[in-house]
Amino acid sequence: MDKRNLNWITWGFIVGTVIVVVVMLMNTLHRPEHIILPDTTTATDQITEDPGTDIDALTVVEIAPETVLSAIATLFRPEAYRRTVTVEQFWSTGSGSYETTVTVSGGWTRMDRTMPDGRVRHSIIGLEETCVWYNNEREIYRSAVGAVSADNEQCIPTYEDILDLPVEAISTADYRVLSDIRCIYVEATEEDSQLRYWVSVDTGLLVASEILLDGQRVYRMEALTVDQTEPAAAEFTLPDGTNLL
């Protein structure tokens, strides 16, 4: 073999090696944007992969007590949606419940709840202001945003409540279906309380939560349906005509 042919073979090998390395780096640095559920056909309480999903755009995430917090941290809530949150509280002599209609648009959250005395409490919480009024009254209570968040106003756990759980407190974490909703399920223990959370992998919203005290349920929250259409601007208009959007 002459020297010229040897040089061509050498350069061809080098170029091919470079192409392989570049492709490997691109695949390694590609950051996944979504979560796909693994095929778990052997477990009836877990979810199987959606056949219609674009596999190339998703990454399989294995859920376990050691990894579940990182998985939930990658989820995000819709920018606009409407849903009804039902909260039930149980005690030794009975129980009580109430519903809150929640409407979200960007950084604003409106909540409408019928109180035990029959009055309807309206509240709108934004990034810098909280507005509260009752029924159709024009008197509005305003305050700067402080300790009360939109989640607190709904009396539901916040994402921080889940993400702040110590890993050693989490006893169970897996994928489950709740009323046809694909969820990440988390179960943890704090002192005498057992905490349970269901987070939708499709919307990133907390769809259910329970608290058990000494094995007895004392709290349950559910919000199993969500409408992700953009709310009308009128829904964020105060009784005095001020539009907050």
Side-chain angles (χ1 to χ4, degrees):
M1 181 180 295
D2 60 28
K3 184 176 182 180
R4 179 179 301 177
N5 290 336
L6 181 60
N7 288 338
W8 279 110
I9 293 173
T10 302
W11 279 109
F13 175 77
I14 293 174
V15 171
T17 302
V18 170
I19 291 175
V20 171
V21 172
V22 169
V23 170
M24 292 177 61
L25 288 175
M26 290 176 64
N27 289 335
T28 301
L29 296 176
H30 176 67
R31 181 179 180 180
E33 297 178 352
H34 305 283
I35 292 177
I36 189 171
L37 306 180
D39 185 2
T40 53
T41 54
T42 59
T44 58
D45 63 347
Q46 294 182 330
I47 313 168
T48 57
E49 176 185 326
D50 183 354
T53 301
D54 182 1
I55 301 300
D56 292 338
L58 303 175
T59 297
V60 174
V61 176
E62 194 69 32
I63 295 297
E66 298 78 16
T67 63
V68 66
L69 299 183
S70 297
I72 290 178
T74 67
L75 302 176
F76 55 90
R77 311 183 196 191
E79 286 292 317
Y81 65 90
R82 181 188 290 102
R83 67 176 184 165
T84 298
V85 177
T86 301
V87 172
E88 298 177 272
Q89 295 174 308
F90 306 87
W91 51 90
S92 59
T93 57
S95 63
S97 66
Y98 56 85
E99 291 185 345
T100 304
T101 300
V102 181
T103 307
V104 174
S105 181
W108 293 97
T109 302
R110 171 169 179 160
M111 290 146 287
D112 303 281
R113 179 195 308 167
T114 300
M115 309 296 289
D117 61 5
R119 293 189 303 165
V120 179
R121 174 187 170 93
H122 310 280
S123 58
I124 299 180
I125 295 180
L127 300 177
E128 299 179 355
E129 185 178 19
T130 296
C131 303
V132 177
W133 72 98
Y134 292 85
N135 295 334
N136 295 320
E137 300 171 0
R138 295 182 61 86
E139 184 177 7
I140 304 170
Y141 303 91
R142 296 175 181 260
S143 66
V145 173
V148 178
S149 68
D151 291 320
N152 295 144
E153 179 71 12
Q154 297 171 58
C155 297
I156 65 175
T158 66
Y159 269 29
E160 288 73 24
D161 291 329
I162 302 177
L163 297 178
D164 287 346
L165 287 172
V167 174
E168 59 271 17
I170 300 174
S171 57
T172 305
D174 53 35
Y175 289 112
R176 301 193 180 188
V177 173
L178 179 65
S179 296
D180 295 328
I181 303 172
R182 305 183 300 170
C183 297
I184 294 176
Y185 174 74
V186 182
E187 187 171 316
T189 301
E190 287 187 349
E191 298 181 351
D192 296 329
S193 298
Q194 188 176 16
L195 312 176
R196 298 172 177 173
Y197 305 98
W198 290 259
V199 181
S200 169
V201 299
D202 297 315
T203 65
L205 294 168
L206 181 74
V207 297
S209 177
E210 288 185 342
I211 300 176
L212 283 71
L213 184 61
D214 294 328
Q216 298 296 317
R217 182 188 296 165
V218 295
Y219 170 92
R220 179 166 177 84
M221 161 267 175
E222 280 191 349
L224 300 180
T225 60
V226 58
D227 178 2
Q228 295 191 56
T229 58
E230 182 68 39
E235 298 186 66
F236 293 87
T237 299
L238 300 176
D240 63 4
T242 303
N243 186 274
L244 298 174
L245 292 183

